[in-house]
Amino acid sequence: MTRTGFLYSGAIAMAALLMVSCSGNNPNAPDKTGPGPSSGGITTGGSIPLTIAVTGISVTPASLSLTQGNKGTLTATVTPATATNKKVTWSSSNIVVATVDDTGTVTAGTPGTATITATTEDGGKTATSTVIVSIDANPNAGVLATGLSVTPTTLNLTQGDTSTLTATVTPANATNKTVSWSSSNNAVATVDNTGKVTAVGVGVATITAGAASCQICIGLTATSTVTVTPAISTNPPPASVIHVTGVTMSPSGSTHGVLGQTIHLTAAVLPSNALNKKVTWSLSRGGSTVTPTGPLTADLTFGTQDPFTVTVTTEDGGFTASLVIIAVDAPTVSVTGVSILNSYDGSTMSGTNIPPLAVGYKIALAAKVLPANATNTAVIWSSSNNNVATVSSSGFFTTVGAGSATITVTTVDGGYKASFSVYVPPTELVPLPPR
């Protein structure tokens, strides 16, 4: 190029810059700063979408009282009101007491207390509401029972004897005085629906009476302790008969379970040469199952998330051993994949489908972990060249220099990856203006 041509080109460039400058200083000039060509919400050569970060969240009401089976609604308010990403997720500390859906609707389960938490997708800000679930009182129940007693409170019987307990419901004018009866150990003593106790085996059992209609049914019970001693026999057993003196179970003590899981139980009757080693298996509540698989073995399948106790009882002597299931967890859902989303428009960012970007380009990225109900959705963000582009631990992406870089997200569970490549040309591109 000749010196004259070079000067002419420079003059044209200077005139163009003066025109842009004049237009930018003229309040009446048309707006020419609109979005340039874009791909997937990523803008080059023009402005980028403004990202306003979440600074907090609140949940109303702060506490919610419900009766069993009823629903209530919680409202999450994200601040500031102009935040770009107002998405929140809801969770319950105890799904047996209360569950919550993605709209904040709470459904009451069993009586108790649960904490409902709302968490912002942007920034992980949290706020909570306490949900209290109570018994649903029946408005047609009439005069409800408020007290219950059983007499006698202790009862001594020998094997084969019977005796009747008396339950007294208060107040005397309670509409429904029906009482239910149960025994803590039917191998020691049984009870029928009239309170009649039958001594079965040597040991101690607790007979419990419960009111059928009460103001607050939890805890409105009364008990009597029954002690059964051996029957006096004029014909002692032959010396060759060896009786059971105890029983153990493996596993023993307490443990956790997983919903749908089956564990193997083994009983050992003592002494090992006892004549009658027959045993029975029982559960303290329904929902799960215990199935005998041999003379001294059984399979326990967890069918409920409620805690319970499994007990083995010897036919000879009524000796027992128990395993306490203190919690049953939901099954773990493994991660099967991940992708990268543009949090501005939700488009997928992958491979090399990203156009060249200027230095200073910023955008929030999001990791879409599959399946949506995966147990562990934690991810790790990384850049192959932090001199070209950086990405924060929360997925905030920024171009910082010329060159090429690959942005990668990796799931903690399973190590699944997704990535996209960016290119920042080594030319004097005008930096994208801040929003």
Side-chain angles (χ1 to χ4, degrees):
M1 178 182 292
T2 65
R3 176 179 179 85
T4 302
F6 180 84
L7 292 175
Y8 180 76
S9 299
I12 291 175
M14 182 62 73
L17 288 174
L18 288 173
M19 289 177 68
V20 171
S21 175
C22 290
S23 175
N25 294 326
N26 181 1
N28 296 320
D31 182 10
K32 297 182 179 180
T33 63
S38 64
S39 175
I42 301 177
T43 306
T44 61
S47 61
I48 64 172
L50 174 62
T51 300
I52 300 177
V54 170
T55 60
I57 185 175
S58 61
V59 172
T60 55
S63 63
L64 182 64
S65 296
L66 297 172
T67 55
Q68 285 180 285
N70 287 335
K71 298 179 183 290
T73 301
L74 299 177
T75 302
T77 303
V78 175
T79 55
T82 55
T84 302
N85 182 359
K86 293 185 179 181
K87 292 181 179 179
V88 300
T89 56
W90 296 89
S91 61
S92 171
S93 66
N94 190 338
I95 61 175
V96 175
V97 174
T99 60
V100 61
D101 64 14
D102 55 8
T103 67
T105 298
V106 178
T107 302
T110 61
T113 301
T115 300
I116 303 301
T117 302
T119 305
T120 64
E121 185 175 81
D122 178 11
K125 308 294 183 181
T126 61
T128 62
S129 177
T130 300
V131 176
I132 301 171
V133 178
S134 59
I135 295 290
D136 185 7
N138 181 0
N140 300 316
V143 178
L144 300 178
T146 59
L148 178 64
S149 62
V150 170
T151 54
T153 57
T154 60
L155 189 60
N156 296 311
L157 300 173
T158 57
Q159 284 179 283
D161 287 347
T162 62
S163 184
T164 300
L165 299 175
T166 301
T168 303
V169 176
T170 56
N173 64 337
T175 302
N176 185 355
K177 293 184 179 181
T178 303
V179 172
S180 61
W181 296 90
S182 63
S183 171
S184 66
N185 191 339
N186 287 322
V188 173
T190 60
V191 61
D192 64 15
N193 57 9
T194 67
K196 181 180 177 180
V197 177
T198 301
V200 178
V202 176
V204 178
T206 299
I207 303 300
T208 301
S213 174
C214 58
Q215 188 66 38
I216 303 176
C217 285
I218 298 176
L220 192 54
T221 59
T223 62
S224 177
T225 302
V226 176
T227 302
V228 179
T229 55
I232 299 175
S233 175
T234 57
N235 299 308
S240 60
V241 175
I242 299 176
H243 287 286
V244 172
T245 60
V247 65
T248 62
M249 186 195 305
S250 177
S252 60
S254 61
T255 187
H256 285 71
V258 176
L259 197 63
Q261 175 192 31
T262 298
I263 63 173
H264 190 64
L265 307 176
T266 301
V269 175
L270 303 174
S272 59
N273 61 342
L275 180 63
N276 181 1
K277 292 186 177 181
K278 292 181 180 179
V279 297
T280 57
W281 302 86
S282 60
L283 301 176
S284 63
R285 70 189 310 163
S288 297
T289 59
V290 59
T291 305
T293 58
L296 295 174
T297 58
D299 283 341
L300 173 63
T301 301
F302 300 105
T304 176
Q305 288 192 273
D306 298 324
F308 63 93
T309 301
V310 56
T311 302
V312 62
T313 305
T314 64
E315 183 175 82
D316 178 11
F319 294 95
T320 62
S322 298
L323 173 65
V324 178
I325 310 301
I326 56 179
V328 179
D329 304 320
T332 299
V333 179
S334 300
V335 171
T336 59
V338 67
S339 59
I340 299 175
L341 303 181
N342 178 333
S343 63
Y344 175 66
D345 63 4
S347 60
T348 300
M349 303 178 69
S350 63
T352 58
N353 66 343
I354 312 303
L357 303 176
V359 173
Y361 181 83
K362 300 178 179 181
I363 194 168
L365 304 175
K368 182 179 180 181
V369 178
L370 297 175
N373 63 336
T375 303
N376 183 0
T377 58
V379 297
I380 300 171
W381 293 93
S382 62
S383 171
S384 66
N385 191 340
N386 286 320
N387 293 322
V388 175
T390 63
V391 61
S392 71
S393 60
S394 62
F396 194 78
F397 166 76
T398 306
T399 56
V400 296
S404 297
T406 299
I407 303 302
T408 302
V409 65
T410 305
T411 63
V412 173
D413 177 13
Y416 292 92
K417 298 178 183 291
S419 63
F420 67 90
S421 299
V422 297
Y423 174 62
V424 181
T427 58
E428 300 199 6
L429 296 177
V430 179
L432 294 174
R435 297 282 287 188

